[in-house]
Amino acid sequence: MRLCDFLRVPALFIMDQIFKISFGFENLESMIINLNITSKNGDFTQYYKLIFLFFAKIIVSCLIFCSSLCLLALPTRYLYLVYLHSVSVCIVLLSYWANTETLNVLSEKYEHFITIMINGAVTWDIDIIIHHFKQLQIVNVLYLLFFNVMLQIFLSQVFDFLQVCTTNHSNHKVFNLGFIMPTIIALIPGSHAFLNTVSVLLTLLPMFIMLKTLLLNIFTIIDLFCHGYNHIRLTINNYEINNLIMIEWSRLNIPSVLRIFWAMRVLKQMAYLLTQKEIKNETLFKVVKYLLIKGCNT
């Protein structure tokens, strides 16, 4: 088994879920009943809204299915690039979430902390400073800030490494500073009013980098789709569709991918069954036995 075999499995899971909802047709009967009831009541706004949502669900399901199918059939080189960019997006979202959670804690508990410390330092009132140090647990504040700064530095380095892997050049240091800037700005007195806006804007910087990379490679993506279409068309015209299936079956190593998919589905079903009252207190052997007898939806 190769790494690319594992990377093709998520596309199968997405396609499996699309098949489960029948491309949006799973509730067709109830949809027709609701439309009849709505039309009889004369509520045409709700009537057209239901129709719009129904067709929108079908279109979105078809688009997701086609995207998953393209991801499944991607060459290994481009498959790695897609996942590297996906991880980059996850890194940016994780950074934004960590900054937001840290800033929320600081704004709730320590909103007036810096102002009080400045006033105490100006008036040389050591008792005020010591009192608030004890009351507000400044050690916890410093630990939270230090942990968030270290996390943001780590995420910025990972993001920069992923950009080097995908674009062969490093980001400017200003973009990496965008990860830790919300924490630094939070230390400025009176900055809590616009801190959320700053966090969003700084999060958009790495997103802009990825969007720029996508736009610069848009012709490569178009050429990839055109090459794939021409390859399929020529193979079908010169040979038969059976030969195309055999070639792609071997190239994508479908047997290995399906084995991984089925194994993960069985493990998922086992984890789900362990929470059921029927076999919750059973041993792992009995759970496997139950699964083999009853079967699973793979």
Side-chain angles (χ1 to χ4, degrees):
M1 292 184 183
R2 302 169 297 177
L3 177 60
C4 60
D5 296 337
F6 287 92
L7 297 181
R8 299 187 195 278
V9 173
L12 286 179
F13 275 102
I14 296 174
M15 294 165 65
D16 180 61
Q17 294 299 319
I18 298 297
F19 279 123
K20 279 186 178 181
I21 64 173
S22 302
F23 290 86
F25 289 96
E26 80 280 13
N27 297 323
L28 183 59
E29 294 182 1
S30 61
M31 178 68 183
I32 295 175
I33 294 174
N34 291 332
L35 288 175
N36 291 332
I37 295 174
T38 306
S39 61
K40 289 179 181 179
N41 295 334
D43 190 358
F44 292 102
T45 303
Q46 185 68 18
Y47 178 82
Y48 290 115
K49 181 180 178 181
L50 290 174
I51 293 178
F52 173 77
L53 293 176
F54 177 69
F55 282 104
K57 187 177 181 181
I58 295 174
I59 294 173
V60 171
S61 299
C62 293
L63 290 176
I64 294 175
F65 182 84
C66 293
S67 301
S68 303
L69 187 61
C70 293
L71 180 63
L72 177 66
L74 270 180
T76 304
R77 173 192 171 190
Y78 296 103
L79 184 66
Y80 289 143
L81 291 177
V82 169
Y83 274 95
L84 288 175
H85 283 293
S86 301
V87 173
S88 298
V89 174
C90 294
I91 290 292
V92 174
L93 295 178
L94 177 61
S95 171
Y96 174 73
W97 175 81
N99 278 326
T100 303
E101 292 298 318
T102 303
L103 297 178
N104 287 338
V105 172
L106 293 177
S107 61
E108 289 175 2
K109 294 185 178 181
Y110 312 103
E111 184 175 2
H112 305 293
F113 174 73
I114 297 179
T115 304
I116 293 173
M117 291 298 103
I118 293 175
N119 293 334
V122 171
T123 58
W124 292 93
D125 195 341
I126 305 300
D127 294 333
I128 293 178
I129 298 177
I130 295 176
H131 171 72
H132 284 285
F133 262 73
K134 293 180 180 179
Q135 183 179 1
L136 298 177
Q137 299 176 349
I138 189 61
V139 176
N140 294 339
V141 181
L142 295 177
Y143 173 77
L144 181 63
L145 290 174
F146 176 78
F147 178 78
N148 187 60
V149 169
M150 290 296 103
L151 176 63
Q152 297 301 326
I153 292 175
F154 172 75
L155 292 178
S156 66
Q157 295 301 316
V158 173
F159 181 80
D160 188 61
F161 172 76
L162 293 174
Q163 292 302 303
V164 172
C165 293
T166 54
T167 61
N168 295 323
H169 63 82
S170 179
N171 295 324
H172 197 276
K173 298 302 180 183
V174 174
F175 293 100
N176 293 334
L177 287 176
F179 284 85
I180 62 174
M181 282 303 294
T183 306
I184 297 175
I185 295 175
L187 300 176
I188 302 175
S191 61
H192 295 281
F194 57 89
L195 203 52
N196 290 330
T197 304
V198 172
S199 299
V200 173
L201 293 177
L202 291 175
T203 303
L204 292 177
L205 286 177
M207 290 294 187
F208 170 76
I209 296 175
M210 289 182 285
L211 180 61
K212 183 192 72 172
T213 304
L214 178 63
L215 293 177
L216 290 176
N217 292 277
I218 189 68
F219 293 107
T220 304
I221 297 173
I222 295 174
D223 290 339
L224 180 63
F225 278 101
C226 293
H227 175 74
Y229 171 76
N230 292 329
H231 169 70
I232 293 173
R233 182 173 57 83
L234 291 175
T235 305
I236 294 176
N237 291 337
N238 296 333
Y239 304 99
E240 293 179 353
I241 192 171
N242 294 334
N243 290 339
L244 174 65
I245 295 175
M246 291 177 61
I247 293 172
E248 294 301 313
W249 188 276
S250 176
R251 180 180 71 86
L252 300 176
N253 199 12
I254 294 298
S256 179
V257 175
L258 289 178
R259 280 194 292 268
I260 298 171
F261 170 71
W262 285 326
M264 294 179 68
R265 285 295 302 271
V266 171
L267 292 175
K268 177 185 174 183
Q269 192 74 9
M270 287 176 59
Y272 173 75
L273 289 175
L274 289 173
T275 62
Q276 300 300 306
K277 293 182 179 180
E278 184 178 354
I279 56 173
K280 186 174 182 179
N281 298 321
E282 299 291 343
T283 61
L284 182 61
F285 173 76
K286 291 186 178 180
V287 172
V288 175
K289 180 181 177 182
Y290 176 89
L291 192 61
L292 291 175
I293 295 174
K294 296 291 184 179
C296 65
N297 53 350
T298 57

